[in-house]
């Protein structure tokens, strides 16, 4: 049985990309592994949210996690900032993380480019905090998407470095969780890259039917195929990718054939796609509304999750401090 750790940043509502990329897999793996799923609300401070937004986002993401089927009776579900052992391990790991390697991290370089007026030290040490999240539970597996692979590689390096430095075999080097089937990357509706919050090209799990219809009908398409079996442009391929996760296989087949014979009408396809997304999202959305109104239940979930996560984290931290040389006097 593997120990699995995964976090999700609390930057707001979850979208279909989060669902098919991560959450659905969390739900699938929770019963076969010892899973720690948490809301990375320290990581989200790098973007300077307002206090009320931070709080609201944490609550929202938690309710959405649970609405998707993550079971707090099975997995350990918690909030990063409830575990003080994490920042303590982060401090210790920072002593063995070199500024040069942190500056060379792809995600850091991207932030420097995208937000030159907020290159804070938290961004620089983001991978160290993430490593602390993971190795504090001695994780063996981490489900990560492409954009987090380098961070996982750094986690492995920090774990290895600690072991070498102190001549111990204490931390396992966590591997990427292998899903067997290929990870589905959900594209956005703007015809370009993947669905993401920052680009606002996505469908949220909490979107109402009207919002979904509006967004899908506005999705970017092209002028339509003019020769049989024409190669698909990226925006059209994207619509088919979304369709492949929410619609019946027969529906996908129908529109693919229409495309191949140049008879496709994008307006008709989008209408169908919108209805299928609505059918998929509506039960989740209703559960989100119900769960997020039950503050008492949410409070119980995070309190129990924190207790379980702290038990695991404090045992590791005790060992680590002892290994480093913080010893009892008597
Ligand atoms: N950095 C991850 C992301 O942006 C979130 C995260 C924080 C995480 N700590 C983690 C993911 C530990 C996996 C394990 O998606």
């Amino acid at each position: 049985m593997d120990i699995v750790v995964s976090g999700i940043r609390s930057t707001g509502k979850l979208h279909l990309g989060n669902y098919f990329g991560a959450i659905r897999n969390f739900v699938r793996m929770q019963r076969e592994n010892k899973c720690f799923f948490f809301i990375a609300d320290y990581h989200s401070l790098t973007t300077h949210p307002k206090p009320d937004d931070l709080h609201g986002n944490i609550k929202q993401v938690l309710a959405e996690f649970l609405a998707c089927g993550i079971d707090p009776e099975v997995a350990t579900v918690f909030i990063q900032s409830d575990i003080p052992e994490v920042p303590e391990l982060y401090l210790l790991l920072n002593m063995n993380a070199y500024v040069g390697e942190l500056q060379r991290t792809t995600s850091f370089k991207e932030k420097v480019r995208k937000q030159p007026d907020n290159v804070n030290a938290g961004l620089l040490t983001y991978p160290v905090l993430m490593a602390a999240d993971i190795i504090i539970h001695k994780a063996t597996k981490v489900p990560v998407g492409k954009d987090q692979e380098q961070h996982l590689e750094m986690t492995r390096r920090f774990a290895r470095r600690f072991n070498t430095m102190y001549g111990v075999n204490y931390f396992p080097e966590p591997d990427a969780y292998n899903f067997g089937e290929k990870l589905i990357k959900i594209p956005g509706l703007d015809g370009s890259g993947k669905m993401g919050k920052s680009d606002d090209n996505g469908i949220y799990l909490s979107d109402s039917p009207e919002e979904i219809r509006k967004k899908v009908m506005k999705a970017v398409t092209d002028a339509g195929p003019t020769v049989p079996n024409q190669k698909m442009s990226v925006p059209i391929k994207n619509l088919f990718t979304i369709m492949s996760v929410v619609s019946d296989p027969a529906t996908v087949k129908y529109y693919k054939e229409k495309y191949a014979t140049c008879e496709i009408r994008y307006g008709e396809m989008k209408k169908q796609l919108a209805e299928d997304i609505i059918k998929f999202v509506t039960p989740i959305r209703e559960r989100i509304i119900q769960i997020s109104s039950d503050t008492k239940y949410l409070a119980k979930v995070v309190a129990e999750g924190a207790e379980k996560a702290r038990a695991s984290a404090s045992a590791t931290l005790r060992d680590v401090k002892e290994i480093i040389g913080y010893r009892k006097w008597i």
Side-chain angles (χ1 to χ4, degrees):
M1 182 150 78
D2 276 300
I3 299 178
V4 176
V5 171
S6 196
I8 192 143
R9 259 170 308 152
S10 57
T11 40
K13 310 171 283 185
L14 301 177
H15 50 63
L16 278 184
N18 297 128
Y19 182 84
F20 287 103
I23 315 285
R24 182 179 60 162
N25 294 313
F26 292 179
V27 173
R28 286 177 178 168
M29 72 172 82
Q30 64 186 345
R31 271 163 231 286
E32 283 119 61
N33 302 282
K34 189 168 164 48
C35 289
F36 293 88
F37 296 134
F38 68 96
I39 296 171
D41 62 341
Y42 279 138
H43 281 105
S44 57
L45 283 188
T46 54
T47 59
H48 300 168
K50 292 195 192 73
D52 286 344
D53 290 343
L54 179 67
H55 179 73
N57 287 343
I58 293 166
K59 190 178 165 208
Q60 182 75 16
V61 173
L62 177 68
E64 297 193 356
F65 248 31
L66 301 172
C68 289
I70 291 178
D71 184 350
E73 306 274 327
V74 179
T76 300
V77 179
F78 62 100
I79 297 173
Q80 186 184 33
S81 64
D82 281 340
I83 318 299
E85 290 80 4
V86 167
E88 192 171 346
L89 180 61
Y90 160 72
L91 179 144
L92 298 171
L93 291 178
N94 266 325
M95 306 304 168
N96 306 334
Y98 296 101
V99 172
E101 65 188 336
L102 298 173
Q103 282 170 330
R104 282 192 299 275
T105 312
T106 309
S107 58
F108 179 71
K109 288 195 289 196
E110 205 177 288
K111 294 288 181 194
V112 171
R113 211 161 25 79
K114 281 197 180 156
Q115 50 182 67
D117 45 356
N118 180 20
V119 185
N120 60 67
L123 280 176
L124 183 69
T125 57
Y126 186 110
V128 187
L129 180 55
M130 179 159 160
D133 289 328
I134 295 168
I135 68 177
I136 205 157
H137 302 295
K138 296 181 152 189
T140 51
K141 288 271 157 54
V142 182
V144 284
K146 263 245 150 317
D147 61 328
Q148 297 296 318
E149 269 171 8
Q150 190 181 30
H151 291 157
L152 180 58
E153 193 45 55
M154 294 172 83
T155 300
R156 297 165 54 81
R157 201 191 310 152
F158 295 143
R160 199 182 319 131
R161 192 175 288 161
F162 180 91
N163 290 344
T164 311
M165 187 164 224
Y166 294 104
V168 291
N169 189 9
Y170 187 70
F171 285 121
E173 283 184 42
D175 292 312
Y177 192 94
N178 189 345
F179 292 104
E181 65 189 285
K182 260 187 30 210
L183 264 185
I184 306 169
K185 230 198 252 142
I186 302 298
L189 295 169
D190 54 0
S192 57
K194 74 176 205 178
M195 195 175 277
K197 287 172 196 148
S198 35
D199 311 319
D200 212 19
N201 60 3
I203 304 238
Y204 295 103
L205 298 177
S206 52
D207 278 349
S208 68
E210 301 77 62
E211 284 168 309
I212 293 172
R213 280 190 201 104
K214 217 160 83 197
K215 286 182 180 177
V216 175
M217 295 318 284
K218 275 204 323 220
V220 175
T221 54
D222 60 18
T226 50
V227 289
N229 300 312
Q230 188 174 314
K231 195 170 174 289
M232 271 184 209
S233 67
V234 175
I236 304 305
K237 231 197 249 160
N238 287 353
L239 290 184
F240 273 106
T241 302
I242 301 176
M243 196 171 229
S244 74
V245 293
V246 294
S247 304
D248 265 3
T251 306
V252 181
K253 190 162 165 264
Y254 173 84
Y255 286 101
K256 281 213 166 136
E257 280 166 11
K258 289 278 174 201
Y259 182 89
T261 56
C262 305
E263 292 166 302
I264 193 158
R265 295 218 309 270
Y266 291 142
E268 186 197 323
M269 177 183 173
K270 283 177 171 181
K271 259 194 204 138
Q272 177 73 46
L273 178 60
E275 294 318 304
D276 290 341
I277 294 176
I278 291 166
K279 208 152 70 190
F280 178 82
V281 165
T282 297
I284 300 179
R285 183 172 139 265
E286 285 170 353
R287 280 200 299 274
I288 293 172
I289 294 170
Q290 188 248 320
I291 293 172
S292 55
S293 69
D294 196 346
T295 307
K296 235 164 113 188
Y297 170 68
L298 290 174
K300 177 172 164 276
V301 167
V302 294
E304 288 176 2
E307 198 185 337
K308 283 195 274 177
R310 284 196 73 183
S312 156
S314 60
T316 305
L317 191 62
R318 204 181 318 115
D319 291 344
V320 166
K321 290 177 79 170
E322 164 92 27
I323 291 168
I324 289 179
Y326 293 105
R327 307 250 161 88
K328 293 259 179 321
W329 289 92
I330 42 161

